[in-house]
Amino acid sequence: MKNNNSNINLKNLFKKVFFVDLVQGLIVTFGYTFSKTITLRYPDEEKWIPYKRFRGLHTLNRNKEGKELCVGCELCAKSCPTNCIKVVPAQDKTGKGIADRVAARWEINLLRCMFCGFCEDACPTEALKLGREYELASLSMQGQLRTKEELLAPQEIPVNFEGGVIVKARLGRDEDEVSVKPDLSVQKRWW
Amino acid sequence: MFDLINMNPMLVMILEVLLICVKVVVVSLILFMLPLPLTYMERKVAGHIQVRLGPFRTGPHGILQPFADMIKLMFKEDIVPAKADKWLFKIAPVIAMVPVFAVYATVPFGESITIPYINKEITMYISDMNVGILYVLAIAGISVYGIILGGWASNSKYALFGGLRSSAQMISYELALSFACVGVVMLSNSLSLVDIVKSQSNWRWNILYQPVGFFIFLIAGIAEINRIPFDMPEDEGTLGAGYHAEYSAMRFAFFMLTEYVAMVTISTLAVLLFFGGWDGPGFLPGIVWFVIKVVAFIYLFMWARFTYPRYRFDQLMTIGWKILLPLSLLNILITGLVII
Ligand code: SF4
Ligand code: SF4
């Protein structure tokens, strides 16, 4: 028993005298020095493309024939906890929607939206989806009001793109817009 | 082609003086510029150890970051706290800074080179004092006055604590540091740094004969230059920023400069005393070997900084007085016995 104890003590003494623990620590950090970085160089060179489940800027969909799926039922507006969607339904015989009833105006106030996704769940025709756009800053309050026309335009990242990757991107700057254009073909993962 | 020896002695003397002036200017310019690459290096080392990239946006790979920092520091407002001792507050960074520069008056950087055509030998040191190592240790020790006065004059409790800790730490570790050097001095029979380096030529580096002395020197050196794990005087966790908590703009930059140059000094001393100075395989000139070794030591200090947590103050004192001091005395004793 006693022998055992002194053995352990000797080991500890050895460890102390030759700084074994300290050297081990140094080796660990040295390893990390040459490991792959986890820094995402956004927005200069890289950009994160979220998964499909991401809840970003709303998008209004069309069906295969290019007709608006929204039937102006106002369910989204009613289900919204923050009351930030405004839908004005109208009758339409020109056939731009899938039914006679379409939304004449469909506006959302992103300042109040908390991206809960309730509107998306409430929509009976799957017209409304929360997309993957997340760069929503604007230079004025007005810029946070998005209308139907803007939301009907397809988003930058295609719907069938899997996401969950870092892609190459380029920062573009001009007078009234700053944008980060992703290049979906060059992908990278750090893990 | 002409020969200096045949020239007028007066002219020779003027030339000598000029040469010394040029050397002084060159060395101090280099020292003033040193923090630029060193801050960059420190931040890169920190970044990569923490699996980040470090500065990256100013210039390619962030290479212009130190310049951006310098410009920022120059244009910042120079704040003096209302109840501070104005005069001391202003003079303290200078008191801290001047000694660390003065140290380099006697530090040799390489073998003397002979300039062709005029047959003039140029030595790679400003002066070869016969008590070089003593001078270095003594002058470097003065630097702590700047830190103490800076802490005192700030009229801030954190700064004062930083200054106090710094003085206590200096006193405890200066002893071990000096005693660690004594072993080397005994081996080379000289106090002159040039002679110490010369005695280690041909791979008879002192690290082989004085490993214990080297470790004492290294640990005490880290404590002396206030770096983690012994950076009590500027312990961010408990003191804000320690002795320079109240400083801003260029005065703060002077303290930073002092710290970096002190780090270079300790690395230089470690190389001169234990790693054979400019001694190295012949395919590179001596001064290159010298720089490589010094940079390796600086890297070691930075590496350690981002690896270890800091010691508690009482632990610091225990290490200094109960372990390093007796160990260094023992080291001297054994060295003496072996030499006899
Ligand atoms: S995501 Fe939520 S808050 Fe935003 S519009 Fe839809 S229901 Fe309203
Ligand atoms: S987006 Fe959907 S829920 Fe909202 S009005 Fe149109 S169809 Fe109805």
Side-chain angles (χ1 to χ4, degrees), chain A residues 55-56 58 76 79-85 106 108-110 112-120 128 130:
Chain A
R55 297 202 298 258
H58 304 66
C76 49
S79 70
C80 176
T82 62
N83 255 338
C84 62
I85 300 179
W106 199 105
I108 178 165
N109 180 356
L110 290 176
R112 303 188 59 173
C113 176
M114 56 184 179
F115 301 97
C116 62
F118 282 5
C119 48
E120 174 185 44
L128 184 60
L130 264 59

Side-chain angles (χ1 to χ4, degrees), chain A residues 50-56 120 129-132 162:
Chain A
Y51 291 98
K52 278 182 175 173
R53 57 175 180 260
F54 188 77
R55 297 202 298 258
E120 174 185 44
K129 275 283 292 170
L130 264 59
R132 282 188 270 185
E162 200 45 58

Side-chain angles (χ1 to χ4, degrees), chain B residues 225-244:
Chain B
I225 56 177
N226 302 331
R227 288 187 73 83
I228 283 179
F230 303 112
D231 69 333
M232 293 302 137
E234 44 181 297
D235 179 348
E236 291 95 349
T238 55
L239 293 184
Y243 63 91
H244 56 58

